Amino acid sequence: MKATMKQLLLSFCFLPLGIYAQYTRVWQGGNSANAALGEMTYSQAGEAVRIGGHDFATAAIDSITFGPVAHQLFSLKDSLVIDLSTDKAIYAPGEVVSFSIPSSTYKLPAEARVRYRCGADVVLEHPLDGRQWTWLTPLDDGVGYLADIYVPHGESQTLCATIGVDVSSSWKLYPRYGFVADYDISKVAKVESEMEFLNRCHINGVQFYDWHNKHHWPLGGTRDELLATYKDVANRQVVTSVVKKYIDVQHRYGMKAMFYNLCFGALEDGADDGVNMKAWAIYKDKAHKEPDAHSGLPASWKSQSIYLMDPSNLQWQNYLGDRNDEVYCNLDFDGFHVDQLGYRGTRYSYMGNEIDLKAGYAKFLKAMAKRHPSKELVMNAVGGWGAQEIAGSETTSFLYDELWEGETEYDALRRHILDNKTYSKGTLQTVFAAYMNYGKASGAFNEPGVLLTDAAIFALGGAHLELGDHMLCNEYFPSQTVTMSSSLRKKMVNYYDFLVAYEQLLRGSGTETALTPTTNKAGVTLNAWPPQVGSIAAYSTRVGDRTVVSLLNFRQADCTQWRDLAGTMPEPKEVTDLTLTLNVADVQRVWVASPDYHGGAPQELAFTQADGTVTVTLPALKYWDMLVLE
């Protein structure tokens, strides 16, 4: 049944007051500003209402359907002067988002409006009449949205702020992993601001690196007597109240707090704490003469070697499970981030039997999951080693690959993501521990190298462990020899907003397609993935009825290695008015979005199509544009 505006507004009388107020504002506005809202459907009484393709929690009455309205093209202008924040990094479907604007940042124009987009579709919009407001999220699970504040000017709009919103029932759907690595007394005054930044970047899980007393005895103290302070393996001060404060603040933001530890580490004094340093150990020889160890640690550390236990040994599993019991009884961690050391060569048990470490990892994970079934597990696959077995254990929240030499080409990122999809039968996301500017000993991170790598990881469907209480520069997480500039810090916010806003297109159930745009623009070449120096790389996927084409600018690149080892990657030169032709048929709508422009907001584009091809002109390309054809 088609309804008039009067019927629609009457039907809203049955909605909760907050919903009524929001939607009457939208439909009373009833003009081009709401053009992308699209089809609106009511189901039977007591079911959810569906607006703009999204379900909302509300009472419903008779079935009413509103046909889609025509899309309208707007010219976008940037004036991103408003700092916009949300109260959490992730929201359950149907949960309320609280937005806020610091009072000191900007005077709001009287005509300012706020809208919420899913892709390029406007789900809802209304006038902005204050610095704090709320939005009831739709019931769809695993969907990213972009909220933006804008001022309309006829055929143009000026954007004042944007922010992503992740509506997901679990962080496993789209993990965005961060870290903390220092817990001394100086952190008491820093925890809030550090986690506020991680929340602004929508980090929904945090790894607590080297928070522990000893690898084989992680808790600082005992189950019944917790120490106020203790030393980590490097003899750095750890303040227990700081660890607790980090956990509490992260939980307030909806983040998961994961404690780090090796799956098989024991310090030199392990025997004093009940570790059977002989029978449980890994050996380099059948005669158990040479125990395996990670040695050569500084003399100032608690132990100069970390001895390795067999992760498949049941007694070791029980021992460490007991130690983890003590951790969970005293600290409100959400799970265990499990580390390993990569390929070790042929190794043996005390009895002289060859150890299958990959299989041992899976057995260890299953044992930890059985001991603490309500807790999360994540395990590092160093260089991808053991990833198949880790995925096959069906215990981890996502797959985590630490990349090293031999995996430095951009295409290695794609290979790991595709391998992990295969190993997990498409059920687990990939997060990379990928250390940027690894050859730099000081100074600031090279912004072009970082942004190109993040663009590639995000476009390919992964996430990057890089943000924490500082920016990560190498595998020893406390190291802060390379720092993040204020410019890069701002751009990280844009890139993570983008990752969240379009997560279902970037990290959803898309499949690769062999689609490479062509152009006749002088001096510009395009190539299919992987990247080539001097060219624009195109990576395309099919997501439902949408073709998604990521264009990454390597025209000025000095190499095709993501690490940007010495920090020499040049800044790409902007390409403007880039006309592309794509072999896609039956296109009804084309839009583009980029973390480099308009705060990631989508912009609809005029296009022509004939003989199974579409021609469209991109306004500009800096690092990364995402072109979507519907």
Side-chain angles (χ1 to χ4, degrees), residues 248-270:
D248 290 344
V249 175
Q250 288 162 17
H251 284 170
R252 187 205 313 156
Y253 285 126
M255 304 171 185
K256 298 293 184 182
M258 304 287 289
F259 74 80
Y260 166 94
N261 199 2
L262 283 165
C263 68
F264 49 17
L267 302 190
E268 293 165 346
D269 65 350

Side-chain angles (χ1 to χ4, degrees), residues 308-436:
L308 306 188
M309 304 295 109
D310 179 359
S312 67
N313 183 285
L314 296 179
Q315 292 174 299
W316 166 251
Q317 292 173 3
N318 288 331
Y319 175 87
L320 197 60
D322 288 343
R323 302 290 76 75
N324 288 350
D325 283 345
E326 297 165 354
V327 171
Y328 289 132
C329 282
N330 284 277
L331 301 169
D332 195 19
F333 281 116
D334 297 290
F336 178 9
H337 178 99
V338 187
D339 200 8
Q340 48 138 312
L341 298 176
Y343 177 65
R344 305 294 296 171
T346 304
R347 293 294 185 264
Y348 302 91
S349 70
Y350 183 81
M351 300 304 294
N353 299 316
E354 188 172 330
I355 294 174
D356 183 346
L357 269 180
K358 291 182 180 180
Y361 297 154
K363 293 176 181 177
F364 178 87
L365 289 169
K366 289 179 179 179
M368 296 302 103
K370 186 176 181 180
R371 286 292 296 256
H372 305 103
S374 66
K375 298 297 184 179
E376 309 273 349
L377 287 170
V378 173
M379 186 169 187
N380 183 9
V382 179
W385 201 77
Q388 184 170 2
E389 289 74 16
I390 292 167
S393 72
E394 298 182 345
T395 61
T396 61
S397 299
F398 53 88
L399 295 176
Y400 177 101
D401 290 9
E402 184 181 50
L403 301 186
W404 288 103
E405 291 80 5
E407 295 145 345
T408 60
E409 292 291 320
Y410 277 95
D411 201 39
L413 303 170
R414 170 181 170 272
R415 187 179 67 250
H416 277 269
I417 290 171
L418 293 181
D419 284 348
N420 286 344
K421 285 184 177 180
T422 299
Y423 299 152
S424 68
K425 300 177 182 178
T427 62
L428 298 179
Q429 297 281 359
T430 296
V431 174
F432 290 114
Y435 311 120
M436 296 301 303

Side-chain angles (χ1 to χ4, degrees), residues 35-72:
L37 189 59
E39 186 171 290
M40 178 173 181
T41 303
Y42 279 111
S43 57
Q44 295 299 316
E47 297 180 358
V49 61
R50 190 163 183 82
I51 302 178
H54 301 277
D55 293 323
F56 289 82
T58 179
I61 57 172
D62 296 335
S63 178
I64 304 176
T65 301
F66 294 83
V69 279
H71 303 298
Q72 181 169 337

Side-chain angles (χ1 to χ4, degrees), residues 268-586:
E268 293 165 346
D269 65 350
D272 296 339
D273 296 322
V275 179
N276 191 326
M277 300 290 285
K278 293 183 178 180
W280 302 349
I282 296 173
Y283 293 88
K284 297 179 181 179
D285 63 314
K286 289 186 176 182
H288 54 256
K289 299 293 186 184
E290 189 176 1
D292 196 10
H294 179 60
S295 299
L297 300 178
S300 60
W301 287 29
K302 275 186 178 179
S303 181
Q304 279 65 67
S305 295
I306 302 173
Y307 290 91
L308 306 188
M309 304 295 109
D310 179 359
S312 67
N313 183 285
L314 296 179
Q315 292 174 299
W316 166 251
Q317 292 173 3
N318 288 331
Y319 175 87
L320 197 60
D322 288 343
R323 302 290 76 75
N324 288 350
D325 283 345
E326 297 165 354
V327 171
Y328 289 132
C329 282
N330 284 277
L331 301 169
D332 195 19
F333 281 116
D334 297 290
F336 178 9
H337 178 99
V338 187
D339 200 8
Q340 48 138 312
L341 298 176
Y343 177 65
R344 305 294 296 171
T346 304
R347 293 294 185 264
Y348 302 91
S349 70
Y350 183 81
M351 300 304 294
N353 299 316
E354 188 172 330
I355 294 174
D356 183 346
L357 269 180
K358 291 182 180 180
Y361 297 154
K363 293 176 181 177
F364 178 87
L365 289 169
K366 289 179 179 179
M368 296 302 103
K370 186 176 181 180
R371 286 292 296 256
H372 305 103
S374 66
K375 298 297 184 179
E376 309 273 349
L377 287 170
V378 173
M379 186 169 187
N380 183 9
V382 179
W385 201 77
Q388 184 170 2
E389 289 74 16
I390 292 167
S393 72
E394 298 182 345
T395 61
T396 61
S397 299
F398 53 88
L399 295 176
Y400 177 101
D401 290 9
E402 184 181 50
L403 301 186
W404 288 103
E405 291 80 5
E407 295 145 345
T408 60
E409 292 291 320
Y410 277 95
D411 201 39
L413 303 170
R414 170 181 170 272
R415 187 179 67 250
H416 277 269
I417 290 171
L418 293 181
D419 284 348
N420 286 344
K421 285 184 177 180
T422 299
Y423 299 152
S424 68
K425 300 177 182 178
T427 62
L428 298 179
Q429 297 281 359
T430 296
V431 174
F432 290 114
Y435 311 120
M436 296 301 303
N437 300 165
Y438 192 74
K440 289 191 71 172
S442 61
F445 284 98
N446 180 39
E447 188 172 293
V450 173
L451 295 183
L452 266 178
T453 295
D454 277 350
I457 290 174
F458 296 172
L460 291 166
H464 190 187
L465 177 77
E466 57 184 337
L467 299 178
D469 49 6
H470 55 276
M471 196 169 193
L472 194 57
C473 62
N474 62 49
E475 73 277 18
Y476 184 58
F477 286 19
S479 175
Q480 300 185 47
T481 55
V482 186
T483 59
M484 177 168 52
S485 67
S486 59
S487 172
L488 182 56
R489 182 182 173 97
K490 291 178 181 178
K491 286 173 181 165
M492 286 291 96
V493 171
N494 291 336
Y495 271 65
Y496 278 83
D497 275 340
F498 195 85
L499 178 65
V500 166
Y502 304 108
E503 58 194 12
Q504 61 269 37
L505 295 180
L506 297 171
R507 307 177 73 188
S509 56
T511 55
E512 282 190 347
T513 62
L515 175 66
T516 305
T518 59
T519 185
N520 58 8
K521 188 175 180 69
V524 177
T525 60
L526 287 91
N527 66 275
W529 190 267
Q532 298 174 14
V533 170
S535 184
I536 295 170
Y539 179 76
S540 63
T541 59
R542 185 74 176 173
V543 184
D545 61 355
R546 296 174 177 180
T547 297
V548 181
V549 183
S550 281
L551 300 160
L552 291 96
N553 189 357
F554 288 87
R555 296 180 69 235
Q556 282 71 45
D558 61 4
C559 68
T560 57
Q561 295 187 340
W562 59 262
R563 299 178 88 187
D564 187 23
L565 201 62
T568 59
M569 182 67 73
E571 180 180 354
K573 293 180 181 178
E574 183 181 63
V575 181
T576 58
D577 299 323
L578 179 62
T579 299
L580 305 173
T581 299
L582 305 96
N583 292 320
V584 182
D586 300 323

Side-chain angles (χ1 to χ4, degrees), residues 116-167:
Y116 314 95
R117 296 180 185 264
C118 178
D121 295 330
V122 177
V123 175
L124 172 68
E125 74 168 81
H126 56 82
L128 187 62
D129 53 9
R131 297 182 180 275
Q132 294 182 330
W133 71 96
T134 60
W135 175 48
L136 178 67
T137 63
L139 298 180
D140 308 84
D141 196 8
V143 179
Y145 299 88
L146 187 74
D148 69 73
I149 297 172
Y150 78 100
V151 178
H153 306 287
E155 296 293 317
S156 69
Q157 299 176 354
T158 299
L159 292 167
C160 302
T162 61
I163 193 168
V165 178
D166 178 14
V167 179

